[in-house]
Amino acid sequence: MAKILMLDALGIAFASRAELFAEQALAGVGRISGDGGATVVGSARTVDPGSAALLNGLLIHGLDFDDTHLSGVLHTSAGVLPAALAAGELEGRSGREVLRAFVLGTEVAARVGMAAAGRFHKQGFHPTGVAGAFGAAVAAGLLFGLDARELATAQGIVGSMASGILEFLEEGTWTKRVHPGWSAKAGLTAASLAGAGFTGPSAVYEGRYGLYASHLGTRDLPLQAVAEGLGERWEVLNVAVKPYPACHFVHAFIDAALELLQGEGFAAEDVDRITCKIAAEEVEAVCEPVENKRRPKSTYDAQFSVPYVVASAIVRRRRLGIKDFDEESIGDEAVLDLAGRVDYEVDPEAGFPDHFSGEVVIALRDGRTISWREQVNRGAPDRPLGRDEIREKFDLNASVKLSKEQAALVAGRIEGLDESGSIEGVTRALRVETGSARLM
């Protein structure tokens, strides 16, 4: 499963290289980065490990197409994998060692998110940047050879670096993409400091000014979730691969709308009103402010909009892809007209946070009312995408910048990772020059 998640993440990173945000990020970070032996996906130039971790996290998360741990409500691979790759490359570790670090880092990040049970979002924090930093610190620390005491210290240190606010939602700006990369860089830094003897607070999670008290204003939480079943129950198996390049909260609504289209055969002009039933915890991210969600002004606005994705699926009569969220597509007046007829109501039967449920109820102009409910979103651990679907997704994403032969090489190196004597075989395959000469 870990290798599947790695492959999915790297495919998205290659696809992100075609986007303007990637060009700007590579130019900006390239200005202040140092030379080194750390790989940036799609670049022939190597940089210092911190810069590589930052950029790779940004690329993996750049299209909002990366995996999600549903109960923790965070994108685990986007923060943990860049830290593991950078640390493994720096230390000359084997593929198996990097794979192990990735799994254990994922465990920590997921569990830190699980204890909050969705509350980070309510307080305006992005769990991927916050909880992800702790997983990145563990992944990097393992590859740096830290012992148990030092690994605990690394988590104590990274607590002062865990960050990421949701204000990007108000204007659709690019800062969300930085969050997992920053958490990866923070994890590397914290692990390196701990290995050098630097100290950090031991009660970084449960303390008076620890993570939960400072970010959520309370310690009255199921904090046992962080360590419960550790080493016996593997949360990496509960990470969901995304079928759509949009916020995971909206996926069930896309599929519900498509099911109704297939079963009822109506057209957009036949629709009077649409009501989407959604978990209360998800409303602020993907349903409010209503007018902004009905007329998105940016890719992020559209990716975080239930009205837009439902209308887009109905008007285009197919599953949505990366191009459905570009500037041209989000200005489609036929889609916006239908999005203006989409409302929401809170659903007390929603499965959040274990599942991101969604129900679409359509009132047609002929007087009929039709509905479809997706209680368990497609791609969730108990409704997973198949291996073939995930490989197809990788091939499609990688094809944005790679030839079939290059993509097959990357996939083969990941598949054989646990038998690889060095992570260099993977990182060398990732150093495909995809940008202009002035960029990394």
Side-chain angles (χ1 to χ4, degrees):
M1 183 62 186
K3 290 190 289 186
I4 287 172
L5 297 177
M6 284 183 168
L7 188 67
D8 180 56
L10 293 172
I12 299 162
F14 278 114
S16 288
R17 289 300 303 255
E19 302 295 325
L20 178 62
F21 69 80
E23 180 180 344
Q24 305 286 33
L26 291 161
V29 175
R31 184 176 187 176
I32 59 172
S33 65
D35 293 330
T39 298
V40 177
V41 175
S43 174
R45 175 190 167 190
T46 58
V47 295
D48 65 277
S51 294
L54 171 59
L55 288 167
N56 287 333
L58 182 148
L59 292 169
I60 291 169
H61 192 51
L63 298 173
D64 231 292
F65 210 175
D66 50 316
D67 61 43
T68 308
H69 185 273
L70 301 191
S71 297
V73 202
L74 76 149
H75 305 280
T76 48
S77 296
V80 176
L81 179 56
L85 286 176
E89 201 167 20
L90 180 65
E91 298 295 315
R93 297 297 186 181
S94 70
R96 179 175 286 273
E97 288 172 315
V98 171
L99 191 61
R100 171 176 174 264
F102 174 68
V103 169
L104 296 176
T106 299
E107 290 301 308
V108 171
R111 289 162 175 278
V112 172
M114 287 170 65
R119 292 179 176 89
F120 283 128
H121 278 96
K122 295 291 287 183
Q123 293 297 318
F125 290 108
H126 186 198
T128 299
V130 177
F134 293 93
V138 169
L142 286 164
L143 293 165
F144 287 161
L146 271 56
D147 62 23
R149 180 187 58 80
E150 291 167 331
L151 284 171
T153 299
Q155 292 170 77
I157 295 170
V158 87
S160 289
M161 307 172 188
S163 62
I165 58 174
L166 297 179
E167 186 62 20
F168 70 88
L169 285 169
E170 297 303 302
E171 301 169 63
T173 56
W174 292 352
T175 49
K176 180 175 185 283
R177 297 182 171 103
V178 178
H179 296 167
W182 195 258
S183 71
K185 182 173 182 174
L188 282 172
T189 304
S192 188
L193 285 169
F198 204 84
T199 64
S202 60
V204 67
Y205 296 119
E206 73 276 22
R208 184 161 60 110
Y209 300 114
L211 172 68
Y212 298 109
S214 62
H215 285 62
L216 303 181
T218 181
R219 290 184 285 173
D220 185 20
L221 295 166
L223 298 184
Q224 70 276 7
V226 176
E228 193 171 50
L230 190 63
E232 299 171 1
R233 186 188 73 244
W234 295 95
E235 292 302 327
V236 71
L237 300 177
N238 294 323
V239 177
V241 175
K242 280 188 175 184
Y244 298 117
C247 175
H248 230 129
F249 293 166
V250 308
H251 290 197
F253 297 98
I254 299 172
D255 283 338
L258 291 174
E259 287 287 349
L260 288 172
L261 267 180
Q262 184 176 1
E264 302 293 337
F266 62 92
E269 54 268 26
D270 300 326
V271 174
D272 182 30
R273 302 296 304 174
I274 299 176
T275 301
C276 295
K277 297 183 179 181
I278 186 169
E281 295 86 350
E282 300 169 12
V283 166
E284 288 187 26
V286 295
C287 294
E288 293 285 353
V290 172
E291 291 312 311
N292 288 14
K293 300 303 183 183
R294 287 173 174 166
R295 297 192 71 86
K297 296 181 174 61
S298 69
T299 293
Y300 262 141
D301 280 352
Q303 289 172 319
F304 281 74
S305 168
V306 166
Y308 176 81
V309 300
V310 169
S312 186
I314 291 173
V315 169
R316 291 164 185 152
R317 308 185 74 83
R318 56 169 171 76
R319 292 180 174 176
L320 304 184
I322 293 170
K323 293 300 182 183
D324 293 307
F325 297 92
D326 65 17
E327 186 174 343
E328 181 180 356
S329 295
I330 66 175
D332 186 333
E333 283 300 329
V335 173
L336 297 177
D337 177 66
L338 183 55
R341 286 173 264 155
V342 179
D343 290 313
Y344 77 88
E345 65 181 48
V346 171
D347 179 11
E349 304 301 320
F352 184 91
D354 295 325
H355 305 114
F356 300 153
S357 311
E359 182 174 350
V360 174
V361 181
I362 301 179
L364 297 170
R365 287 179 170 153
D366 63 7
R368 290 183 298 147
T369 297
I370 58 177
S371 66
W372 187 273
R373 183 177 186 83
E374 295 278 314
Q375 183 65 18
V376 178
N377 55 295
R378 191 163 57 91
D382 40 2
R383 193 186 170 191
L385 300 185
R387 272 181 175 264
D388 290 345
E389 290 179 282
I390 295 169
R391 178 57 191 267
E392 182 181 357
K393 176 185 171 182
F394 167 79
D395 287 340
L396 186 62
N397 283 329
S399 71
V400 173
K401 284 294 181 181
L402 302 185
S403 67
K404 287 184 178 180
E405 293 75 18
Q406 290 168 330
L409 175 62
V410 173
R413 294 284 168 83
I414 293 296
E415 181 59 35
L417 190 61
D418 45 341
E419 303 300 329
S420 172
S422 171
I423 190 61
E424 187 180 352
V426 171
T427 55
R428 193 165 53 243
L430 300 178
R431 292 181 199 166
V432 179
E433 185 59 71
T434 63
S436 64
R438 71 182 182 86
L439 300 177
M440 291 184 181

